[in-house]
Amino acid sequence: MTATTTDAVADQFWTRCRSCSSLLYRKRLRRNLDVCPECGDHQRLAAPDRIRQLVDPGSFTALPGDVAPVDPIEFVDSVPYPQRLAAARADTGLDEAVVCGEARIDGHPLVLAVMDFRFLGGSLGSVVGELITRAAERALDRGLPLLLVTASGGARMQEGVLSLMQMATVSQAIAALREAGLLTISLITDPTFGGVAASFATNTDLVVVESGARMGFAGPRVIHQTIRQPLPEGFQTAEFLLRHGQADMVVERWGLRARLRPLLAAAHAARSAVVRRAEGADASHSAGGSPSWVGPAGSGLAPGDGAGSSVLIRDPDRLAEPDGWRAVQAARHLDRPTTLDYLATAFDAFTELHGDRLGADCPAIVAGLARLGDQHLVVVGHQKGHHTKDLLTRNFGMPSPAGYRKAQRVMRLAVRLGLPIVTLIDTPGAYPGIEAEEQGQAAAIADSILAMTGLPVPVVAVVTGEGGSGGALALGVADRVLMLQNAVYSVISPEGCAAILWNDPTATPRAARALRVTAPDLLRLGVVDGVVPEPPHGAHTDPAAAADLLRRAVVETLTPLLRLPAETLVRQRRLRFRSFGAGNRRVPPPVGTR
């Protein structure tokens, strides 16, 4: 027997722990649920292995996974995206980065979606989002709890901004379950980062973290590269998450079934109450008691505000095709109008509100009450600044968790007062820093996305400059999404994409073009509903004209929404984001609402 053959045979029976380097007998390791018996390291599990460990033997039935793969932006880095998908399928034996099905845990039925990090880092793409959404919809149809087992590096860059949309698509499916009184649980495994952490991993009823797991909005490498500071011991670990209030419990792998059992039993016992509430809601609806959005007495847009032909561009062929990198640079121009500039010019009588009521006021988010003519409304937006002092004070428009919590607080005020909401988006992304992670950055973004999916008042979002990742989407789940002609909207910054996929900072312009971040690209993808034209040489060259165009666009878009009842607004908003799932056709709004 050759040395090579001997080594291969040895590899079948022995392995080394990634943490303590102990030589471990594979069968013993498997009997210990793939937890190192020497140091307790919880090794990563493939989705089929995770399912076998969690559910009752023979109880798992896979949900249909007949979703065709997509390549929406024909992305190519070192190899074309379809080749990466084919290689991942061959390596893992899975069709995608999640396995969904129905099963039982100690006899209690549930629906579960289990992510697999081996498949392109468990990244969240259109198919993954579609499959998890279908699992949530099955749970809703069957009246069952939903368990999400997360393991992901974040949104899938190769699918561009459509991968970003999956955060909202899945979040609104979670929202429907919560509204129906059905239990949702996240089981966080190692690693869970980015768009998954900032959406469905943390917006469930309960967050259970497996011992040894790490979770955060930004990964340690990104944080270190951004702030150039050493990270503290135990940063983003399960214990860190528990200590900073971001988890309900931390559980060793061997104890997961025992911890999930009483939670599922309680959900089963509570199901009868859910049914009674649903029957009561049906009776109310039959009696004509369904809620409607009604603005305050005497509200309305000033005469003439909505008059004239449409200012919005809805046909991408009417737009020039800008170079992606030049568009990014234009969106970042320091003289470009900010949220406060537009509040002083495009809106009337703005009154700013401060604080998240949890101990902080983030200057990167501006929120408060304003008017458009006679119509009172709430405006929430990112604020960058124009000069060094302003940029530093406003943290370059990168919000902390307190900023998103402030935004949610003011949006809840809008609901109580019956006021529509306008959001102005201009951020490179949420702040990737140590304090932000300690204060729950991922959960703050997830909560904002979740809350916006169910707001019973009209919501219009406008990307005025840089729409960066989940930090932008946290203010972007709206009935209508607009963008200025020279704005951009992306799943990640071009610099970040170039660093991760090309490992070459000089590839940034190429990444910007590949990501398809410009107004005509996003209009074609259906991510935005209309484009607000800018003065010929950009908004920064004529801020007054830019403000007038923005005002007219908001009035034009908001006016028909004011006539819709609350239940219609929420339903159509959710249909809008549901349409971003793989294989779904965009569902246009009914005639008369655009």
Side-chain angles (χ1 to χ4, degrees):
M1 183 180 292
T2 65
T4 301
T5 304
T6 302
D7 290 343
V9 172
D11 287 343
Q12 296 177 6
F13 295 99
W14 298 90
T15 186
R16 286 196 180 275
C17 173
R18 63 178 183 176
S19 180
C20 68
S21 299
S22 296
L23 190 62
L24 304 174
Y25 186 47
R26 286 187 181 272
K27 288 186 176 180
R28 181 189 178 198
L29 182 64
R30 182 52 57 94
R31 287 195 300 268
N32 206 44
L33 303 182
D34 290 283
V35 177
C36 176
E38 303 298 328
C39 70
D41 178 66
H42 287 54
Q43 298 195 11
R44 292 173 183 168
L45 292 176
D49 293 334
R50 175 71 66 179
I51 293 168
R52 281 193 291 270
Q53 289 187 9
L54 279 179
V55 308
D56 296 348
S59 69
F60 179 77
T61 302
L63 296 179
D66 53 344
V67 180
V70 298
D71 185 15
I73 61 174
E74 299 179 349
F75 192 98
V76 178
D77 47 275
S78 57
V79 298
Y81 176 44
Q83 290 186 22
R84 289 200 180 279
L85 287 173
R89 291 192 190 95
D91 290 342
T92 64
L94 302 178
D95 291 330
E96 254 295 351
V98 67
V99 178
C100 304
E102 292 187 46
R104 293 177 178 268
I105 294 180
D106 201 35
H108 299 294
L110 76 159
V111 175
L112 70 163
V114 182
M115 303 188 76
D116 197 314
F117 192 76
R118 299 175 303 157
F119 197 109
L120 296 182
S123 51
L124 176 62
S126 300
V127 174
V128 173
E130 176 70 16
L131 293 174
I132 297 176
T133 298
R134 289 185 182 183
E137 292 169 345
R138 173 64 69 93
L140 183 63
D141 290 342
R142 298 289 302 276
L144 297 176
L146 176 69
L147 172 64
L148 301 175
V149 183
T150 63
S152 175
R156 190 169 294 178
M157 291 172 288
Q158 292 91 341
E159 294 184 20
V161 76
L162 286 179
S163 61
L164 182 68
M165 295 300 110
Q166 305 311 310
M167 296 165 62
T169 300
V170 179
S171 291
Q172 68 182 22
I174 300 298
L177 288 169
R178 294 179 62 172
E179 292 162 3
L182 295 170
L183 181 68
T184 57
I185 305 172
S186 288
L187 171 55
I188 308 298
T189 73
D190 187 60
T192 296
F193 285 99
V196 170
S199 56
F200 55 88
T202 49
N203 62 23
T204 53
D205 296 307
L206 299 172
V207 177
V208 179
V209 182
E210 183 177 65
S211 181
R214 297 166 298 151
M215 184 184 74
F217 175 64
R221 183 176 66 172
V222 172
I223 295 172
H224 179 71
Q225 290 176 347
T226 301
I227 65 175
R228 303 295 181 184
Q229 295 177 13
L231 302 181
E233 185 71 23
F235 185 59
Q236 295 180 321
T237 62
E239 292 71 24
F240 171 94
L241 298 170
L242 188 65
R243 188 166 61 250
H244 293 284
Q246 299 173 42
D248 289 287
M249 60 189 79
V250 174
V251 184
E252 298 282 346
R253 185 172 292 167
W254 58 265
L256 285 172
R257 278 176 54 90
R259 289 295 188 98
L260 291 172
R261 185 185 305 127
L263 302 176
L264 296 171
H268 177 74
R271 179 57 188 155
S272 58
V274 172
V275 172
R276 286 195 297 272
R277 287 197 295 272
E279 290 174 347
D282 289 342
S284 173
H285 181 77
S286 299
S290 59
S292 295
W293 181 88
V294 180
S299 66
L301 297 172
D305 269 353
S309 60
S310 174
V311 69
L312 289 171
I313 300 172
R314 296 187 175 91
D315 180 0
D317 292 336
R318 289 181 54 197
L319 294 166
E321 296 290 343
D323 174 78
W325 179 233
R326 290 182 180 176
V328 171
Q329 292 174 310
R332 293 173 175 174
H333 198 289
L334 288 179
D335 292 333
R336 194 170 179 83
T338 67
T339 291
L340 284 176
D341 293 330
Y342 285 122
L343 283 166
T345 52
F347 295 84
D348 306 312
F350 175 67
T351 302
E352 186 173 0
L353 304 177
H354 295 271
D356 68 348
R357 298 300 183 263
L358 295 174
D361 180 39
C362 173
I365 290 285
V366 170
L369 304 175
R371 286 189 294 108
L372 278 174
D374 293 332
Q375 176 64 57
H376 293 264
L377 69 159
V378 158
V379 180
V380 180
H382 301 96
Q383 177 64 23
K384 283 184 176 180
H386 297 292
H387 309 292
T388 301
K389 182 179 179 180
D390 288 341
L391 290 167
L392 291 172
T393 299
R394 301 286 180 178
N395 201 30
F396 298 87
M398 295 187 293
S400 67
Y404 295 114
R405 291 171 184 144
K406 174 169 65 174
Q408 292 174 60
R409 182 179 69 82
V410 178
M411 289 180 189
R412 289 194 295 269
L413 176 63
V415 172
R416 290 197 296 273
L417 298 179
L419 301 178
I421 298 169
V422 173
T423 66
L424 304 179
I425 297 168
D426 184 16
T427 179
Y431 179 57
I434 295 172
E435 289 186 1
E437 294 291 339
E438 291 176 345
Q439 296 165 10
Q441 183 72 288
I445 296 171
D447 286 346
S448 187
I449 292 172
L450 187 67
M452 292 191 76
T453 68
L455 291 171
V457 297
V459 185
V460 174
V462 186
V463 184
T464 61
E466 193 174 7
S469 189
L473 184 64
L475 299 186
V477 184
D479 301 299
R480 299 290 181 270
V481 179
L482 313 177
M483 70 185 296
L484 268 62
Q485 187 173 355
N486 292 318
V488 294
Y489 200 3
S490 179
V491 65
I492 191 173
S493 70
E495 293 88 346
C497 180
I500 294 172
L501 294 183
W502 278 275
N503 196 27
D504 178 8
T506 66
T508 295
R510 180 181 175 188
R513 299 177 189 111
L515 286 167
R516 306 286 178 88
V517 301
T518 67
D521 288 327
L522 296 169
L523 200 55
R524 291 189 187 97
L525 289 171
V527 171
V528 300
D529 301 290
V531 174
V532 184
E534 297 189 26
H537 300 290
H540 64 283
T541 64
D542 192 345
D548 180 65
L549 289 164
L550 176 65
R551 180 186 180 98
R552 291 168 56 195
V554 170
V555 169
E556 176 186 333
T557 305
L558 186 59
T559 300
L561 295 173
L562 295 174
R563 297 190 289 265
L564 299 180
E567 60 184 9
T568 301
L569 288 167
V570 174
R571 182 176 68 252
Q572 290 188 2
R573 189 182 308 142
R574 292 179 175 181
L575 284 172
R576 183 186 189 279
F577 284 91
R578 180 66 180 89
S579 71
F580 295 123
N584 287 332
R585 182 175 59 86
R586 280 296 309 276
V587 180
V591 175
T593 65
R594 295 201 71 144

